[in-house]
Amino acid sequence: MIAMHMLLVVGAWLVVALLAAAGVASVVAGWVPWPARRRVVRPRLWGYGTLLTTLGLSLLLLLGPLEEAGAGVVAFAGYCALFLAGFVVQALAQRPGRDTTKTAS
């Protein structure tokens, strides 16, 4: 049971590390990973949004809900607010109304 928990934690941290690396690459070099490359118009703004999302997720993974401190709901709401703020910033970096499933017809 403990080994499975460790695998999940390590997997989650690897995903966070990859997201952080993509965010830093977008901010520094203007590079966007291939899944979002066609939609993103402003790569640096997308990178800042990715870093906000990564910050919220990493705080949740690192600190957890902080139930011992009595601020569990407030801390969880803060993590979620950072996470969602990152998604909003990422959405602002994309073309408005662009459908990714359009065909050339």
Side-chain angles (χ1 to χ4, degrees):
M1 186 71 162
I2 293 175
M4 179 56 84
H5 176 73
M6 184 59 69
L7 281 174
L8 291 173
V9 168
V10 169
W13 277 110
L14 285 174
V15 169
V16 168
L18 286 173
L19 281 174
V24 169
S26 294
V27 170
V28 172
W31 178 83
V32 179
W34 64 267
R37 192 170 294 154
R38 292 188 320 182
R39 295 181 308 238
V40 174
V41 177
R42 295 170 284 194
R44 285 179 172 51
L45 184 63
W46 186 88
Y48 286 126
T50 303
L51 289 176
L52 266 177
T53 303
T54 304
L55 178 66
L57 187 58
S58 62
L59 284 175
L60 179 64
L61 288 174
L62 182 65
L63 300 177
L66 295 176
E67 292 178 6
E68 295 85 16
V73 175
V74 175
F76 185 73
Y79 307 150
C80 289
L82 277 173
F83 192 71
L84 292 175
F87 279 133
V88 168
V89 172
Q90 283 179 331
L92 291 174
Q94 296 178 6
R95 293 186 178 139
R98 174 106 183 215
D99 188 14
T100 59
T101 59
K102 279 186 179 177
T103 58
S105 57

